[in-house]
Amino acid sequence: MSEDKNISNQLFKGVLLLLVGAAMLGGSGIFVKISESSPSLIAFYRSLFALPFLYLWMKFEERGNLKKINLTNRNRFFLFLGGLCFALDMAIWNWSLSFTSVANATLMANTAPVFVVIFGILLFGYKIKLSFIFTLILALAGVSLVMLPGKQDMVFGDILGIIAAFFYAAYILSIKDITNVLKPAKTLFFVTVITSLCLLPASIIEANDLRISSSEFYILLSYAIFSQTIAQGMITSGISKISAHLSSLILLMQPVAAAFYGWLLLGELLTSFQLLGGLIVLIAIYMASKKN
């Protein structure tokens, strides 16, 4: 009985962390839109500026725990893969914002659950219930309503968003595998270190100069704290507590939140269809959580 209660508590905590983290991460596009830096440089500083805060979180999480963990080659592989895929996801997604709306870019990037399910079944042997597939389709239908009024002529930006989703799915599965061994803070810290290193050469090639203005510094520092440290920290903790495919479905709150932020801060259209779509996504998340 106590074991069932513990599982239920873990599920509740995981879902709550992912919902809040996804709602916060949905505002990432705002920082990218107001930044004057190139897409890869924005992603690089998001990772780099977050490292001191992630390091402090890691040390706080490890306090009093002297147990040494020996990483296997598999663990190291997924750490590197997670960092590389997150770098590609952020850089490509940031570029997509140059060619499409915040809502569309976030929507396309969050088709990741489809890739998570496919990769999970083919590569990891995950057993996924048919009811979850139907719930995922319902959630994606809701997300489609959210982006319905968006500009549909921005095909290139939407394609970039889908490519970003491919790498985001690989990132989610990597994080899930690593958090079976490492605590969330240590996982996110090391993955972010690798992400920063991967983004550095791309940023130098793309921007020619890593220097930024003082006003840009504060924008990117805020972006790093808000999106990478707090939001991504919550998401990593949430993923460590529940399955990868349920995590990816809950993260569909991001385009819903992005549409809201776009309406509130950028004056982008928000209609009754989008509100209905957001409600459908919430219902789908509730259904998936109850059946998990």
Side-chain angles (χ1 to χ4, degrees):
M1 186 72 176
S2 60
E3 186 178 342
D4 290 339
K5 186 177 180 180
N6 183 53
I7 293 173
S8 180
N9 287 338
Q10 286 288 97
L11 175 63
F12 175 77
K13 289 178 183 177
V15 170
L16 183 62
L17 284 165
L18 281 160
L19 277 174
V20 177
M24 291 183 67
L25 207 59
S28 293
I30 305 298
F31 291 99
V32 179
K33 284 284 189 181
I34 64 176
S35 173
E36 298 175 351
S37 300
S38 66
S40 295
L41 192 62
I42 294 170
F44 169 69
Y45 278 119
R46 166 178 164 171
S47 300
L48 183 68
F49 288 164
L51 288 177
F53 303 101
L54 293 175
Y55 180 80
L56 291 174
W57 177 32
M58 178 179 70
K59 288 302 178 183
F60 177 78
E61 195 177 59
E62 289 182 335
R63 67 196 186 283
N65 185 7
L66 302 176
K67 183 180 178 182
K68 186 177 180 181
I69 298 174
N70 294 317
L71 296 179
T72 64
N73 288 334
R74 175 192 173 96
N75 301 146
R76 294 188 186 94
F77 170 76
F78 279 111
L79 269 175
F80 176 78
L81 182 66
L84 174 62
C85 288
F86 195 45
L88 290 168
D89 163 56
M90 282 201 296
I92 294 170
W93 183 73
N94 286 358
W95 266 109
S96 74
L97 286 169
S98 301
F99 300 96
T100 188
S101 69
V102 171
N104 271 32
T106 309
L107 164 71
M108 295 304 169
N110 282 276
T111 55
V114 177
F115 294 113
V116 168
V117 169
I118 294 171
F119 294 160
I121 293 173
L122 296 180
L123 303 178
F124 292 86
Y126 287 171
K127 303 296 182 183
I128 298 175
K129 296 178 182 177
L130 189 61
S131 60
F132 178 84
I133 303 297
F134 288 129
T135 307
L136 175 58
I137 292 172
L138 176 65
L140 290 171
V143 169
S144 297
L145 285 176
V146 171
M147 59 81 65
L148 190 63
K151 298 176 182 178
Q152 302 301 316
D153 57 340
M154 299 180 173
V155 178
F156 182 64
D158 294 347
I159 291 173
L160 287 177
I162 292 173
I163 295 172
F166 176 89
F167 291 113
Y168 194 46
Y171 166 75
I172 290 172
L173 289 167
S174 299
I175 287 291
K176 180 59 185 175
D177 194 87
I178 300 163
T179 52
N180 291 329
V181 180
L182 299 179
K183 289 181 178 293
K186 179 169 279 191
T187 297
L188 187 56
F189 174 76
F190 283 119
V191 165
T192 304
V193 168
I194 295 167
T195 297
S196 300
L197 292 173
C198 290
L199 286 168
L200 179 58
S203 300
I204 293 173
I205 293 170
E206 187 179 285
N208 295 321
D209 191 349
L210 295 179
R211 288 178 297 180
I212 53 175
S213 65
S214 57
S215 60
E216 186 73 358
F217 169 81
Y218 289 114
I219 291 172
L220 296 179
L221 178 63
S222 301
Y223 183 32
I225 295 171
F226 184 83
S227 296
Q228 188 64 19
T229 306
I230 302 175
Q232 204 64 51
M234 287 184 171
I235 288 170
T236 303
S237 295
I239 290 174
S240 71
K241 298 179 187 302
I242 61 179
S243 66
H245 56 278
L246 177 57
S247 298
S248 64
L249 187 147
I250 295 170
L251 290 176
L252 286 174
M253 270 303 296
Q254 287 183 62
V256 177
F260 174 76
Y261 293 137
W263 166 76
L264 183 67
L265 301 175
L266 299 179
E268 294 182 356
L269 184 65
L270 185 62
T271 69
S272 55
F273 277 107
Q274 288 179 294
L275 294 173
L276 175 62
L279 179 61
I280 290 173
V281 172
L282 286 172
I283 291 172
I285 289 171
Y286 175 78
M287 290 170 58
S289 301
K290 294 293 286 184
K291 292 176 182 178
N292 192 65

